């Protein structure tokens, strides 16, 4: 199947700093990418949907100024957590679709810890 | 908007026992249905999916699921579980049209004892 890669897999940062997480589709062009957040022992919550070359669509309750999403190319989307705080500590997962209806591929996830 | 309910949050089984995990969804239109598995320390993997056709779908590792439209259900089954099936299982749904964003259930944590 298609491969989606996230980097970094783990990141620890100080409160107030910004962290960028990359999501790449390695062997297909991702027309749409999704960013999810998973709290411990909870399900995945969709944060935003991004289409290449356009602004991301954020889910209700997600601060777009805090979670900046850029989808500059068909193989790369980035999530930047700005001015991170301990409550932003979580597991962030991206998924991508190449256009086949319902076909989504997930990255390995990135665990963010904010001290 | 879609929503997904998984009624079993924790399931503990012995090896060779049969498994059935419940999943119900709410949506007024046509949907695609998925089951994902997340093994400890690993990322999500697709177990099986239903788009259309035969409502009984077979996935990897001996799993199957049955779509019952009248009950808005897509329960996951396996006749005989193994210790290696210990994982968290997520049911998910997306609309057949549109941006295909997946909505996940809360997950079921399965522990299989040897």
């Amino acid at each position: 199947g298609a491969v989606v890669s996230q980097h970094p897999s783990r990141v620890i940062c100080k409160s107030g700093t910004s962290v960028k997480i990359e999501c790449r589709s390695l062997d297909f062009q991702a027309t749409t990418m999704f960013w999810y957040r998973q709290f411990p022992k909870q399900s995945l919550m969709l944060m935003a949907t991004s289409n290449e070359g356009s602004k991301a669509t954020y889910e209700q309750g997600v601060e777009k100024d805090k979670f900046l999403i850029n989808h500059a190319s068909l193989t790369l989307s980035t999530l930047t957590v700005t001015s991170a705080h301990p409550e932003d500590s979580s597991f962030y997962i991206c998924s991508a679709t190449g256009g086949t209806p319902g076909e989504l591929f997930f990255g390995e996830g990135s665990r963010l810890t904010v001290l | 908007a879609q929503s997904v309910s998984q009624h079993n949050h924790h399931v503990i089984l012995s090896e060779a026992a049969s498994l059935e995990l419940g999943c119900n969804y709410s949506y007024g239109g046509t949907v695609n249905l998925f089951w994902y598995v997340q093994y400890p320390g690993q990322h999500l993997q697709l177990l099986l999916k239903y788009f259309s056709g035969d409502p009984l779908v077979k996935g990897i590792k001996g799993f199957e699921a049955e779509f019952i439209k009248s009950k808005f259900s897509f329960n996951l089954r396996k006749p005989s579980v193994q210790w290696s099936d210990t994982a968290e299982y997520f049911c998910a749904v997306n609309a057949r049209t549109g941006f295909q964003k997946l909505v996940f259930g809360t997950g079921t944590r399965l522990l299989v004892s040897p």
Side-chain angles (χ1 to χ4, degrees), chain A residues 7-80:
Chain A
H7 178 80
S9 58
R10 294 177 184 271
V11 57
I12 301 172
C13 69
K14 292 182 179 179
S15 186
T17 60
S18 295
V19 174
K20 180 185 284 188
I21 301 170
E22 293 185 346
C23 177
R24 292 181 185 275
S25 57
L26 299 186
D27 51 3
F28 69 102
Q29 293 187 324
T31 52
T32 305
M33 286 185 170
F34 304 88
W35 285 94
Y36 290 85
R37 184 172 180 177
Q38 186 180 26
F39 290 102
K41 300 183 181 181
Q42 294 188 31
S43 187
L44 284 77
M45 300 299 297
L46 180 65
M47 298 174 67
T49 302
S50 75
N51 292 290
E52 185 266 339
S54 62
K55 289 185 179 180
T57 302
Y58 290 81
E59 295 298 301
Q60 192 171 11
V62 178
E63 300 174 60
K64 61 181 179 181
D65 294 329
K66 181 166 188 61
F67 298 100
L68 300 178
I69 291 172
N70 184 278
H71 193 164
S73 77
L74 284 171
T75 59
L76 174 64
S77 176
T78 59
L79 167 67
T80 301

Side-chain angles (χ1 to χ4, degrees), chain A residues 32 34 36 38 41-44 46 49 51 59 91 93 97 99-104 106-109, chain B residues 6 10 32 34 36 38 42-44 46 49 51 88 90 94 96 99-107 109:
Chain A
T32 305
F34 304 88
Y36 290 85
Q38 186 180 26
K41 300 183 181 181
Q42 294 188 31
S43 187
L44 284 77
L46 180 65
T49 302
N51 292 290
E59 295 298 301
F91 196 53
I93 304 171
T97 176
T100 302
E103 197 82 58
L104 285 168
F106 285 83
E108 313 95 320
Chain B
Q6 290 182 244
H10 291 90
N32 302 311
F34 306 81
Y36 285 88
Q38 189 173 30
Q42 296 187 28
H43 63 283
L44 280 171
L46 180 66
K49 61 190 177 188
F51 288 175
E88 188 147 18
F90 294 95
N94 67 7
R96 189 71 59 82
F99 285 121
Q100 306 168 25
K101 63 180 184 181
L102 270 179
V103 176
F104 285 84
T106 48
R109 194 172 292 270

Side-chain angles (χ1 to χ4, degrees), chain B residues 13-85:
Chain B
L13 295 172
S14 299
E15 274 194 316
S18 64
L19 170 72
E20 180 160 2
L21 301 182
C23 173
N24 287 89
Y25 70 93
S26 174
Y27 182 64
T30 307
V31 297
N32 302 311
L33 296 153
F34 306 81
W35 275 97
Y36 285 88
V37 60
Q38 189 173 30
Y39 296 103
Q42 296 187 28
H43 63 283
L44 280 171
Q45 300 174 42
L46 180 66
L47 265 183
L48 47 78
K49 61 190 177 188
Y50 172 79
F51 288 175
S52 64
D54 187 345
L56 183 63
V57 292
K58 295 189 184 298
I60 60 172
K61 305 185 180 185
F63 286 91
E64 65 177 33
E66 184 174 12
F67 170 50
I68 303 179
K69 189 175 181 180
S70 61
K71 294 184 178 180
F72 296 90
S73 70
F74 190 56
N75 292 353
L76 180 71
R77 300 194 291 251
K78 186 171 184 177
S80 176
V81 294
Q82 301 173 313
W83 174 78
S84 57
D85 293 323

